[in-house]
């Protein structure tokens, strides 16, 4: 399934980007957003993941994040996350650009990780900006208030209608522009501006490899589409890269 030419291309590349979405964490037990079992098939995003929703009903929004935190506290990185760590060791400039907020890439051991949509393990005060860790807003404890100023504390995640974190976005665009191979893995590639990264990479000359059990709107623009689960395909890809690297020496 992994061609020798793909393995050679990847192991010979100096700059590779792994752009990931919810599908990469599916095999860890984190529900995806879209599709028949996706979170957004049951809940409307603007009712929960937006500033409007939070200002209208902060306790409902916090209840939902407490629920997601609870799901995420019991999960572990899967073979797909771990394969990306192996790849990072084989390529001189390797970056994971993720839309996921579950912290699993970092927990797996990836070192260069740009989190475009924030991280559920961080919180901050909307009034004074003070940062708080994961334990601060414990599951089921209602709406947390800032001990320093009394302001509302919110999860450090990007909501609908909000800008992406500037530094992470800038670094991701630079990585996409410099990538020789750009892998789009486990994402429906429909949420912008994140979904523009594969197109930025392509325009700059990268080889676009997509990994997903289903085709997406990106598929026609991809140079290669590997159809299947990332927890299966990424370890095979890392094996093939290691093999290609050792035979090239
Ligand atoms: P989606 O739920 O839109 O897409 C998940 C993708 O993963 C789909 O294309 C699935 O086919 C694929 N998939 C499912 N199981 C997989 C597996 N085992 N291996 C590989 N792929 C698999 O999730 P995202 O594209 O991440 O934003 O969604 C993007 C953004 O939309 C999220 O970051 C979130 C959401 O609204 C914010 O919260 C700002």
């Amino acid at each position: 399934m992994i061609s020798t030419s793909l393995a050679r291309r990847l192991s010979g590349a100096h700059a590779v980007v792994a752009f990931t979405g919810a599908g990469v964490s599916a095999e860890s037990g984190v529900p995806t957003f879209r599709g028949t079992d996706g979170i957004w098939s049951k809940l409307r995003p603007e009712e929960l993941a937006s500033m409007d929703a939070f200002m209208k009903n902060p306790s409902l929004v916090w209840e939902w994040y407490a629920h997601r935190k609870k799901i995420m506290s019991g999960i572990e990185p899967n073979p797909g996350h771990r394969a990306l760590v192996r790849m990072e060791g084989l390529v001189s400039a390797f970056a994971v650009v993720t839309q996921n907020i579950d912290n699993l890439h970092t927990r797996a051991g990836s070192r260069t990780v740009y989190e475009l949509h924030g991280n559920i393990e961080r919180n901050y005060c909307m009034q004074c900006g003070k940062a708080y860790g994961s334990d601060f807003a414990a599951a089921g404890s209602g709406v947390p208030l800032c001990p320093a100023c009394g302001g509302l504390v919110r999860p450090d995640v990007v909501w609908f209608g909000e800008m992406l974190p500037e530094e992470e976005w800038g670094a991701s665009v630079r990585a996409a522009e410099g990538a020789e191979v750009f892998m789009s893995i486990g994402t429906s590639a429909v949420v912008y501006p994140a979904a523009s990264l594969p197109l930025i990479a392509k325009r700059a000359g990268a080889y676009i490899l997509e990994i997903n059990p289903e085709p997406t709107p990106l598929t026609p623009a991809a140079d290669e589409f590997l159809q299947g689960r990332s927890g299966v395909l990424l370890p095979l890809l890392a094996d093939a890269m290691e093999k290609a690297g050792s035979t090239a020496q």
Side-chain angles (χ1 to χ4, degrees):
M1 183 157 211
I2 313 283
S3 68
T4 316
S5 67
L6 176 60
R8 284 215 190 103
R9 183 187 287 279
L10 268 166
S11 66
H14 299 290
V16 173
V17 168
F19 172 57
T20 66
V24 165
S25 297
E27 289 156 83
S28 293
V30 183
T32 59
F33 292 93
R34 294 169 186 83
T36 43
D37 291 331
I39 299 174
W40 297 143
S41 68
K42 303 181 188 90
L43 301 162
R44 284 157 56 89
E46 59 276 22
E47 278 168 18
L48 288 165
S50 71
M51 180 59 88
D52 260 12
F54 190 65
M55 294 320 283
K56 263 188 218 134
N57 195 342
S59 60
L60 175 71
V61 175
W62 262 113
E63 211 178 289
W64 186 58
Y65 278 98
H67 167 69
R68 289 190 66 196
K69 268 168 77 119
K70 211 165 149 206
I71 295 177
M72 290 178 193
S73 67
I75 58 164
E76 294 297 330
N78 66 54
H81 296 103
R82 289 195 289 271
L84 292 176
V85 180
R86 281 166 62 202
M87 289 185 196
E88 188 169 17
L90 300 170
V91 176
S92 50
F94 189 93
V96 174
V97 176
T98 190
Q99 298 163 88
N100 300 342
I101 60 171
D102 56 28
N103 207 31
L104 286 180
H105 287 298
T106 303
R107 280 181 57 201
S110 285
R111 278 167 299 156
T112 303
V113 182
Y114 303 128
E115 293 171 324
L116 292 180
H117 292 166
N119 186 316
I120 200 165
E121 295 194 358
R122 297 191 305 256
N123 304 287
Y124 69 94
C125 172
M126 283 167 56
Q127 197 158 288
C128 70
K130 194 167 172 8
Y132 292 99
S134 178
D135 297 341
F136 178 74
S141 59
V143 181
L145 296 179
C146 176
C149 76
L152 280 175
V153 174
R154 61 166 280 180
D156 191 356
V157 298
V158 175
W159 284 332
F160 284 90
E162 292 185 329
M163 304 280 286
L164 302 192
E166 215 175 297
E167 245 177 67
E168 309 266 317
W169 175 245
S172 302
V173 170
R174 283 192 297 279
E177 285 169 344
E180 287 157 55
V181 181
F182 185 101
M183 303 187 284
S184 180
I185 313 161
T187 174
S188 58
V190 293
V191 174
Y192 283 81
S196 61
L197 288 171
L199 308 173
I200 290 172
K202 191 177 169 72
R203 215 177 305 133
Y207 185 85
I208 310 296
L209 168 67
E210 184 179 37
I211 297 178
N212 200 305
E214 308 289 338
T216 72
L218 175 68
T219 312
D223 293 293
E224 188 163 346
F225 176 55
L226 291 179
Q227 188 155 19
R229 292 182 286 142
S230 49
V232 174
L233 290 174
L234 288 174
L236 292 178
L237 207 50
D239 290 347
M241 282 171 70
E242 276 167 4
K243 207 168 144 213
S246 64
T247 50
Q249 277 161 17

